[in-house]
Amino acid sequence: MKIKNIIFSSLLIVVLFQHGYSQKSQIAAADKKYEKSYYVDAIATYERIAEKGYKNENMFLKLGNANYFNAELQKAEKWYTELYKMNKEQEPEFFYRYSQSLKSVGNYSKANEMMEVFNKKSGNERRAQLYVDNKNYLETIKANSGRYAVEDAGVNSANSDFGSALLGNKLVFASARPVAGSSKVFNQTKESFTDLFESEIGTDGKLAEPKQFGGKEINSVFHESSPVFTKDGKTVYFTRNNYNDGKKGKIVKDVMVLKLYKATLENGSWGNVTELSINSNQYNVANPALSLDNKTLYFASDMPGTLGQSDLFKATIKADGSLDTPVNLGKGINTEGRESFPFVSFDNKLYFATDGRPGLGGLDIYVSKIEDEGFRGVENVGAPINSPQDDFAFSIQNNGKGFVTSNRTGGKGGDDIYKVAEIQCNQKVEGLITDSETNQILANVKVSLLNEKFELLKESKSDDKGQYSFDAECGKKYYVRAELDKYLTKETPVITGTSNGTTNVPIAIEKAGCTLVVGSDLAKCFGIKYTYFDLNKTAITNEAAFELEKILDVMKQNTKIKIDVRSHTDSRHTDKYNQTLSDNRAKATIDWLVKNGVDASRLTGKGYGESQLLNKCSDGVQCTEEEHQANRRSEFIVVAF
């Protein structure tokens, strides 16, 4: 089992009633191991029984769960599939885990089917709602992908290596590799207990042979992991089992919880290991991260108030080093799944791992912008940072380099650390701004670049040649807005290319008004759409009311204008019927304007039936609904002003 899952796995065990068969004693022995989270032993026993052809729903469920908790999602998929074949009626959580496991083998279509079932059975909980609201999540992830290069960090062993942090020119990380003089093995993984190790980073970026970090003051006979260092490099926060000063802490229900500790550097040695006040013998606290100003500690926990299996919290670090009451980061970040391994980047973004959001499978890395009032947006960082397996413990520095941990296919051990390097991809969004009618080049136009949420990113003005230009990111959706006095504001969507280059976005903007003359159509003059009616109807539709509001505004601003309302129908039905229908439509239009404040003396109108069609769609001619609709219109002809 990967140590990252040990943190909360003991809380996820489903204890099931066993039926009596010839293998009863073997299953009972395996069940005891399963219930104590000794998943490696339990898996071996269950698998030997299954290989003999023995089939049992409870056994398949436990095989699936044991592999799932052990982060072996591909193996979990095998046994969940066997269970699903036997009985499709399962508890809601099964369908979520099955969906995650299916993703690990690339079966996203069936994974989505299982999420649909999970949504129905779970009562529309947040993980389900996030899927329902983001059914095109694979397209979004694809758009966010390709921004980083990932390669083996060069410090991995045949055991689990994970959760790294930088201390000057050293990488400090957790590893389950054997240590000379220690033979103690963790039953749940059959590997050594994890210690902290350090590796010096050379000028060429290569990492030196790892050695233990901090000596016996930091590393105990139990687990240590996920360090984070203060800016001055003199304090480290880290995760450890409930053990300090050579003494094992209180064990509750056979679980030795994880806690956070800190140590300080004095005279070149790490010491003064102290337990943080936010810990408890009743729940886990793990995976620390620090804010940019080192005044806030972020961490993962399953403490009371947790929304899911584990949530992210924060606590203010007081001047004396003590911690204030923890605060849950809320539903904007946390789900009913597992949130863990937070990291705050140089540009004040929160990166974290979760399996509670639509992703590629297992734990995925997500990012959210930290703001004074909370967090803005949550995005999957895409491949290759994320894979169909578990990906977590992401970090990135202002030079575009960092690290991530994953148990993806092709690694050396259970979990491996990978180098991350941001791929420099530069795009320019540029174009020419012209008058839509005359094609005249327009200078000094205010041009804005907005993100896909219409949030302003940059502003500029077109030069004397009508050109504008913005630096942008690759593979991103933007909007370009052009504004000029006496012209209609126009926004144009654009998706930048995925490689270095330029995305050309010419913009033609339309004048906001025109000179009124008798006989002109007010709708055309002011760029107002025709007021459409539904087939065989005279009622003013919502769309019609929206357009009539524009007519109303123009008439209120220009009180001398008088107009003749001319209503038209399409060719369907008889001439007589259409004539009556159009008369009624003209009357309905006039009544609406009068009701909303236009003096009746300024309005005349009549219907023209199907006598003035705009296109070929006369009697007997096959036309689309859109073509017929173009003939169902009202015109507003100026008769005086």
Side-chain angles (χ1 to χ4, degrees):
M1 173 189 262
K2 312 319 181 267
I3 185 64
K4 62 182 181 298
N5 282 356
I6 294 169
I7 293 175
F8 304 106
S9 63
S10 60
L11 305 177
L12 305 178
I13 297 170
V14 180
V15 181
L16 299 171
F17 178 80
Q18 293 297 312
H19 296 284
Y21 289 93
S22 60
Q23 294 86 352
K24 184 175 180 180
S25 61
Q26 296 180 54
I27 293 176
D31 286 348
K32 289 182 180 179
K33 296 172 182 177
Y34 177 90
E35 291 164 15
K36 290 186 177 181
S37 300
Y38 296 169
Y39 296 132
V40 174
D41 285 347
I43 289 171
T45 301
Y46 287 139
E47 285 182 341
R48 283 193 293 269
I49 296 171
E51 286 169 0
K52 294 179 181 179
Y54 178 74
K55 294 186 177 183
N56 176 271
E57 288 183 33
N58 291 341
M59 183 180 70
F60 285 151
L61 178 60
K62 288 187 175 182
L63 262 174
N65 285 345
N67 278 291
Y68 185 88
F69 298 147
N70 200 31
E72 297 284 358
L73 298 187
Q74 291 171 312
K75 293 180 180 178
E77 183 273 336
K78 173 184 176 180
W79 300 114
Y80 283 150
T81 297
E82 290 296 324
L83 173 60
Y84 191 65
K85 288 177 183 177
M86 292 186 69
N87 186 358
K88 292 180 171 58
E89 292 301 318
Q90 302 293 334
E91 293 297 316
E93 192 65 25
F94 162 82
F95 293 96
Y96 191 83
R97 293 176 188 161
Y98 190 22
S99 175
Q100 290 287 84
S101 302
L102 285 162
K103 289 179 182 179
S104 74
V105 297
N107 194 346
Y108 289 96
S109 60
K110 190 170 183 179
N112 291 342
E113 289 178 19
M114 294 302 104
M115 282 302 298
E116 296 286 355
V117 179
F118 175 69
N119 180 38
K120 292 177 182 178
K121 286 180 171 287
S122 67
N124 201 30
E125 62 128 86
R126 180 153 176 75
R127 285 177 297 173
Q129 191 58 53
L130 285 168
Y131 165 74
V132 171
D133 293 343
N134 299 276
K135 288 190 176 181
N136 64 339
Y137 68 95
L138 289 176
E139 296 177 17
T140 303
I141 292 173
K142 183 178 179 181
N144 290 340
S145 296
R147 299 177 185 177
Y148 298 91
V150 174
E151 64 174 315
D152 186 285
V155 292
N156 295 307
S157 67
N159 304 97
S160 287
D161 304 284
F162 65 97
S164 57
L166 287 178
L167 176 61
N169 67 334
K170 295 178 180 179
L171 184 72
V172 183
F173 60 96
S175 178
R177 66 189 65 197
V179 177
S182 176
S183 59
K184 195 166 184 179
V185 173
F186 184 44
N187 282 325
Q188 289 176 248
T189 63
K190 299 304 179 187
E191 293 185 339
S192 299
F193 281 81
T194 58
D195 284 343
L196 294 185
F197 287 77
E198 63 178 292
S199 177
E200 190 169 339
I201 305 173
T203 54
D204 58 357
K206 292 183 178 180
L207 278 73
E209 183 68 22
K211 61 182 181 180
Q212 274 194 302
F213 169 80
K216 292 183 178 180
E217 288 295 320
I218 296 292
N219 293 308
S220 69
V221 295
F222 293 102
H223 289 299
E224 282 77 34
S225 67
S226 51
V228 64
F229 297 90
T230 53
K231 285 183 177 180
D232 60 11
K234 295 181 179 180
T235 301
V236 59
Y237 294 87
F238 62 98
T239 306
R240 177 193 281 177
N241 281 121
N242 187 8
Y243 181 90
N244 200 20
D245 292 331
K247 297 178 182 179
K248 185 188 297 185
K250 185 177 180 181
I251 296 177
V252 180
K253 296 180 181 179
D254 292 327
V255 175
M256 194 174 180
V257 298
L258 294 173
K259 293 185 174 183
L260 289 183
Y261 297 82
K262 72 174 181 178
T264 54
L265 183 66
E266 298 177 1
N267 300 319
S269 298
W270 290 97
N272 191 30
V273 176
T274 57
E275 180 181 336
L276 301 190
S277 61
I278 55 177
N279 293 327
S280 170
N281 292 328
Q282 305 300 318
Y283 51 78
N284 296 285
V285 183
N287 305 337
L290 287 167
S291 61
L292 290 180
D293 59 9
N294 284 190
K295 294 181 179 180
T296 301
L297 183 74
Y298 293 89
F299 58 92
S301 179
D302 54 4
M303 67 175 59
T306 301
L307 303 176
Q309 298 161 25
S310 64
D311 280 2
L312 295 185
F313 292 79
K314 67 178 180 179
T316 300
I317 302 174
K318 300 178 183 178
D320 62 359
S322 63
L323 295 173
D324 211 339
T325 303
V327 176
N328 191 297
L329 296 194
K331 292 183 179 180
I333 297 295
N334 294 313
T335 69
E336 292 87 349
R338 297 174 296 165
E339 279 73 42
S340 60
F341 291 94
F343 170 77
V344 179
S345 62
F346 65 94
D347 51 354
N348 210 31
K349 292 179 180 177
L350 176 70
Y351 290 85
F352 62 98
T354 179
D355 64 0
R357 294 174 179 271
L360 293 180
L363 292 167
D364 270 15
I365 306 295
Y366 289 78
V367 60
S368 180
K369 179 66 176 176
I370 302 174
E371 296 184 337
D372 292 339
E373 64 276 12
F375 300 89
R376 174 161 57 87
V378 176
E379 286 189 359
N380 187 300
V381 301
I385 298 297
N386 290 321
S387 72
Q389 312 301 322
D390 281 338
D391 309 286
F392 59 102
F394 176 86
S395 64
I396 193 74
Q397 308 304 317
N398 59 7
N399 62 359
K401 295 182 179 180
F403 296 89
V404 68
T405 303
S406 178
N407 68 337
R408 65 189 61 192
T409 303
K412 292 183 177 180
D415 293 312
D416 292 294
I417 299 172
Y418 294 85
K419 288 181 181 178
V420 169
E422 189 174 10
I423 297 174
Q424 296 300 317
C425 180
N426 301 311
Q427 272 277 323
K428 282 189 177 295
V429 175
E430 61 184 33
L432 178 68
I433 300 182
T434 58
D435 182 297
S436 62
E437 184 177 355
T438 65
N439 292 324
Q440 176 186 352
I441 290 173
L442 297 176
N444 209 37
V445 178
K446 180 182 177 182
V447 190
S448 304
L449 185 70
L450 304 97
N451 64 19
E452 61 181 341
K453 296 180 181 179
F454 292 94
E455 297 166 330
L456 180 63
L457 301 176
K458 300 175 183 178
E459 287 184 345
S460 181
K461 288 192 175 183
S462 59
D463 60 22
D464 57 359
K465 296 180 180 179
Q467 294 282 350
Y468 74 91
S469 180
F470 292 111
D471 291 327
E473 294 183 38
C474 295
K476 278 278 194 178
K477 183 175 183 179
Y478 296 96
Y479 290 89
V480 181
R481 178 187 296 161
E483 301 172 79
L484 185 64
D485 188 35
K486 297 183 180 180
Y487 280 83
L488 297 174
T489 297
K490 184 174 182 178
E491 285 179 347
T492 303
V494 56
I495 297 178
T496 55
T498 56
S499 58
N500 290 327
T502 299
T503 301
N504 191 41
V505 187
I507 302 175
I509 56 177
E510 182 181 351
K511 286 187 176 178
C514 62
T515 303
L516 288 173
V517 295
V518 172
S520 62
D521 185 349
L522 191 62
K524 289 182 180 179
C525 186
F526 286 91
I528 298 171
K529 295 179 180 179
Y530 285 126
T531 302
Y532 295 122
F533 292 90
D534 291 332
L535 180 62
N536 298 327
K537 303 292 183 180
T538 61
I540 301 297
T541 64
N542 289 335
E543 181 183 2
F546 176 70
E547 301 300 344
L548 284 175
E549 285 287 352
K550 301 175 185 178
I551 299 291
L552 178 65
D553 181 74
V554 171
M555 295 195 73
K556 285 185 175 181
Q557 297 301 318
N558 301 272
T559 57
K560 293 183 180 181
I561 291 178
K562 294 183 179 181
I563 62 172
D564 184 45
V565 179
R566 301 175 184 179
S567 182
H568 304 265
T569 70
D570 60 36
S571 63
R572 292 176 288 186
H573 227 295
T574 65
D575 287 349
K576 181 178 180 181
Y577 177 89
N578 284 334
Q579 184 61 52
T580 301
L581 180 65
S582 63
D583 283 334
N584 290 337
R585 286 176 172 174
K587 183 178 183 301
T589 302
I590 292 172
D591 288 346
W592 189 94
L593 290 168
V594 170
K595 181 180 178 180
N596 285 277
V598 177
D599 193 290
S601 65
R602 300 171 62 195
L603 300 165
T604 57
K606 64 179 254 183
Y608 290 84
E610 59 181 274
S611 64
Q612 296 183 8
L613 300 176
L614 294 176
N615 51 34
K616 64 179 181 179
C617 300
S618 57
D619 292 338
V621 177
Q622 189 73 25
C623 288
T624 65
E625 177 59 31
E626 184 178 5
E627 289 172 321
H628 280 304
Q629 191 181 57
N631 293 315
R632 299 195 304 271
R633 67 193 190 278
S634 288
E635 298 170 328
F636 303 87
I637 306 303
V638 177
V639 294
F641 63 91

